[in-house]
Amino acid sequence: MKQLIFTIACIALFASCRKLEQPNTREFTEEAYWRDAQDALDALTSCYENMYGDGFYFGNEALSDNAYVAGGGFSGVSLIAGGSYDPSHARVREEWGYHYRAIRKCNVVVLNITKVPQMDETLRRRIVAEARFIRAWAYFNMADWYGSVPFYIDLISVDASRTIARTSRDEVIRFVLDELSAIRADLPVNVDYAEKDRGRITRGAAIALAARVRLWKGEWDLAAQEYALLMNGTQNGTYGLLGNYANLFKPANEFNNEVILDLQYGGGRTYSTQRSFLPQTVALLRSVLVPTQDLVDDYIMTNGKGIREAGSGYNENDPYTNRDPRFNATIIHHGATIVDFEGRTQTILTQPGSNPATNSVDDQGASPTGYYFRKHYDPTAPNYNSGLNLPMIRYAEVLLGFAEAKNEAGQLDADTWNKTIRALRIRAGFTDAGATEFPAGATKEILREIVRRERRAELAFEGIRAFDIRRWKTAQTVLAKPVRGIKVSSGAFNRDPNGYIIVENRRFENPKHYLWPVPTAERDQNKNLGQNPEW
């Protein structure tokens, strides 16, 4: 799958380049396609093409309080995070079109595959199930960002697309859950795929996405039941935690059994996004996608306490010592080292006045917060173009989701803790009992804070946080305050009363910004779409 994805260079609605006898028309006809199983697989490959992209994956992080994008990079996500956007905004427009291209491609596969003669029925059902998953994924994203959206599962005509009204969010989500349930029996478990098909959608992915949707809906018991299907036994796949957290994001460990669904790269499909989040002395490009001080502050100490808790041992003058081991695996800070693309070890200095000053906050090409991302760095990438897969659902998320669902249902006990939070922290490298043992007597509210903080640390820079703060309805708090960088004692910086750099002020209006507006270009073509409240 990794070598196959995106190798069809002249697809128009999935047409293959080898169809030399195709009629001279503007569209690829039924007579010129759907002649064998390879046609169906090629069409499905194009569906995978539109499942997601690295620009959305990484850019989503800056739609949360985890990251900041300087300037207009990543389709201007900083304007959205700062509350200064409108229905014509690039990312608002691109997200809409991207998912509807996926939906149409998937509809083509589902509605036409029966035209392939003498096709193995098991393969046919599997291809349809994969396409239906991608379509469900697209509709879930659309409902999450926009609320009510146009819904169709046929090959809608251009005229119909100009008159279709929006379907309620609840109905769309009901469809998503029904689809994810219906396709499970036709999807292989992860260990049943041949090596050439590694990376395809599995039964485990359908269950994990359904659980994520249940969590999004606040259906705690149902979410826990779905997660349990992946935690108990191997009937739905064989999953577990990789032994070393940092190794999860290295090329040598792709397709490990912690990955349930990842965005496939390699072969002809690569990305150079790492040049935007690494120090400029490493990637030779301006650093524009960078971590925030708020993310840094949320990593607990090795004794399990938050940095502001009594007895944490946190020293503001030595802020990076005795922190959650996942911190250094995710973020590069002042004094951290990194082996660059040439095999040289660099010490990254970010405080103003550092010598050399190339990576410090007072250099215009450096991170404005004084931090850089390390996770997803691929030092093997030729000419910075990485083929490293990007995880979209990991088994760690299953454990975190199960813990959250159990806590919200008032059922997070020591046994659940040991299976979830403790397991993740032991894997991360915690040894202090204060971090690993169940906090007996803790209230539901305290446990909620612990679980959410754990989720943030474990999944940082994996595009999850923006969705979490919106479903928790905390975006109105965490996105309504300044983006902060490192603490500095001198220089021409805008600083808060404690000396931390203020990079940007943000604004989030409740309820307006919990839904994106319907793009202007879409409403210009279809007057029946209407608009979300307050837009």
Side-chain angles (χ1 to χ4, degrees):
M1 186 66 177
K2 188 175 177 65
Q3 300 303 317
L4 171 67
I5 204 88
F6 290 106
T7 58
I8 304 173
C10 61
I11 289 178
L13 290 182
F14 317 130
S16 172
C17 300
R18 60 185 172 84
K19 302 298 183 185
L20 301 180
E21 70 276 29
Q22 179 179 302
N24 184 22
T25 63
R26 294 184 63 188
E27 294 188 358
F28 291 89
T29 66
E30 296 176 11
E31 290 76 18
Y33 208 77
W34 306 108
R35 298 186 305 184
D36 54 35
Q38 190 58 52
D39 280 347
L41 288 167
D42 287 349
L44 179 63
T45 295
S46 194
C47 297
Y48 274 93
E49 174 184 18
N50 266 92
M51 185 159 65
Y52 224 52
D54 62 281
F56 288 173
Y57 182 92
F58 290 114
N60 283 351
E61 203 70 4
L63 293 171
S64 78
D65 51 341
N66 277 0
Y68 168 76
V69 166
F74 295 86
S75 300
V77 290
S78 280
L79 290 176
I80 298 178
S84 301
Y85 65 111
D86 60 30
S88 65
H89 186 273
R91 174 62 192 272
V92 171
R93 183 179 67 251
E94 290 168 7
E95 183 97 21
W96 182 286
Y98 190 91
H99 290 306
Y100 276 115
R101 284 193 294 275
I103 289 165
R104 180 171 180 84
K105 289 180 177 183
C106 292
N107 288 345
V108 168
V109 172
V110 172
L111 295 173
N112 286 284
I113 196 170
T114 55
K115 296 170 183 172
V116 178
Q118 299 179 342
M119 185 174 180
D120 177 79
E121 187 59 28
T122 299
L123 177 60
R124 191 196 306 272
R125 289 198 303 267
R126 194 203 82 193
I127 290 173
V128 169
E130 291 177 67
R132 289 170 71 181
F133 176 97
I134 296 170
R135 184 174 63 185
W137 168 273
Y139 271 125
F140 176 51
N141 278 271
M142 288 296 296
D144 192 0
W145 289 122
Y146 302 96
S148 300
V149 294
F151 173 80
Y152 56 93
I153 55 174
D154 57 357
L155 296 179
I156 189 171
S157 67
V158 173
D159 288 341
S161 72
R162 291 173 176 160
T163 59
I164 188 173
R166 291 194 286 167
T167 297
S168 73
R169 174 189 265 190
D170 288 345
E171 189 172 342
V172 172
I173 294 300
R174 185 160 54 248
F175 167 82
V176 169
L177 289 171
D178 287 345
E179 286 286 274
L180 294 173
S181 177
I183 64 178
R184 295 180 191 184
D186 293 330
L187 289 169
V189 300
N190 59 337
V191 295
D192 285 348
Y193 270 120
E195 184 174 354
K196 67 181 179 64
D197 286 319
R198 291 188 308 177
R200 289 193 179 276
I201 291 158
T202 63
R203 186 183 307 163
I207 294 170
L209 181 56
R212 182 188 284 187
V213 176
R214 298 286 188 191
L215 207 67
W216 178 86
K217 292 186 67 181
E219 296 177 346
W220 311 120
D221 290 339
L222 292 174
Q225 290 173 27
E226 297 278 28
Y227 284 125
L229 294 176
L230 300 175
M231 297 170 61
N232 302 325
T234 59
Q235 181 179 358
N236 298 303
T238 303
Y239 300 104
L241 297 176
L242 191 69
N244 183 291
Y245 179 78
N247 286 346
L248 270 167
F249 312 100
K250 296 180 179 178
N253 294 297
E254 289 183 324
F255 305 112
N256 64 79
N257 71 343
E258 182 166 342
V259 174
I260 298 176
L261 177 70
D262 57 1
L263 193 58
Q264 296 289 299
Y265 286 92
R269 188 191 190 196
T270 60
Y271 58 91
S272 60
T273 318
Q274 59 184 342
R275 300 193 71 185
S276 298
F277 61 75
L278 290 169
Q280 59 180 342
T281 57
V282 176
L284 305 183
L285 201 67
R286 292 188 66 175
S287 306
V288 297
L289 173 58
V290 296
T292 65
Q293 184 67 47
D294 282 353
L295 172 59
V296 171
D297 286 350
D298 225 14
Y299 283 94
I300 60 175
M301 305 294 288
T302 53
N303 61 11
K305 294 182 179 293
I307 64 172
R308 307 303 179 200
E309 291 184 60
S312 70
Y314 175 72
N315 180 355
E316 197 169 22
N317 296 316
D318 186 20
Y320 313 125
T321 298
N322 295 328
R323 302 295 292 275
D324 182 333
R326 290 167 295 193
F327 169 66
N328 280 309
T330 305
I331 294 174
I332 299 169
H333 56 79
H334 179 75
T337 60
I338 185 173
V339 178
D340 64 22
F341 289 94
E342 304 300 322
R344 301 168 300 197
T345 299
Q346 293 190 23
T347 298
I348 306 302
L349 304 176
T350 70
Q351 280 289 332
S354 296
N355 186 19
T358 314
N359 295 314
S360 67
V361 289
D362 45 4
D363 186 282
Q364 65 176 3
S367 165
T369 66
Y371 297 104
Y372 302 88
F373 281 113
R374 185 192 301 273
K375 187 186 282 190
H376 304 300
Y377 168 42
D378 177 10
T380 69
N383 197 28
Y384 310 105
N385 294 316
S386 177
L388 181 64
N389 292 342
L390 300 174
M392 294 194 290
I393 305 177
R394 294 194 281 118
Y395 186 65
E397 183 190 336
V398 169
L399 300 183
L400 289 163
F402 185 74
E404 179 179 347
K406 284 293 188 180
N407 185 62
E408 295 304 324
Q411 301 168 2
L412 179 49
D413 55 15
D415 181 62
T416 299
W417 172 277
N418 291 338
K419 292 176 181 177
T420 58
I421 306 302
R422 184 178 190 275
L424 289 165
R425 289 185 175 180
I426 292 293
R427 188 271 291 275
F430 285 93
T431 57
D432 192 300
T436 61
E437 300 307 309
F438 179 66
T443 64
K444 177 179 177 179
E445 288 69 28
I446 290 175
L447 289 172
R448 177 185 294 136
E449 181 180 352
I450 292 172
V451 170
R452 290 183 178 183
R453 177 178 280 176
E454 187 70 15
R455 186 175 178 91
R456 188 179 192 184
E458 176 70 28
L459 302 176
F461 206 42
E462 296 180 48
I464 300 292
R465 177 73 175 176
F467 298 96
D468 283 345
I469 60 175
R470 289 164 64 249
R471 70 181 176 87
W472 291 332
K473 293 297 184 286
T474 59
Q476 63 204 60
T477 301
V478 301
L479 289 181
K481 58 184 180 180
V483 174
R484 296 184 306 139
I486 58 175
K487 184 176 183 178
V488 296
S489 57
S490 62
F493 301 100
N494 182 18
R495 288 174 282 177
D496 71 8
N498 297 311
Y500 291 90
I501 296 173
I502 295 178
V503 178
E504 178 186 67
N505 288 306
R506 286 177 168 176
R507 176 174 60 90
F508 190 95
E509 296 180 23
N510 177 29
K512 177 181 179 179
H513 288 146
Y514 276 108
L515 289 179
W516 284 358
V518 178
T520 299
E522 301 299 328
R523 296 186 70 226
D524 286 346
Q525 298 178 70
N526 181 357
K527 304 302 182 183
N528 291 332
L529 290 178
Q531 187 54 281
N532 284 327
E534 301 186 31
W535 286 102

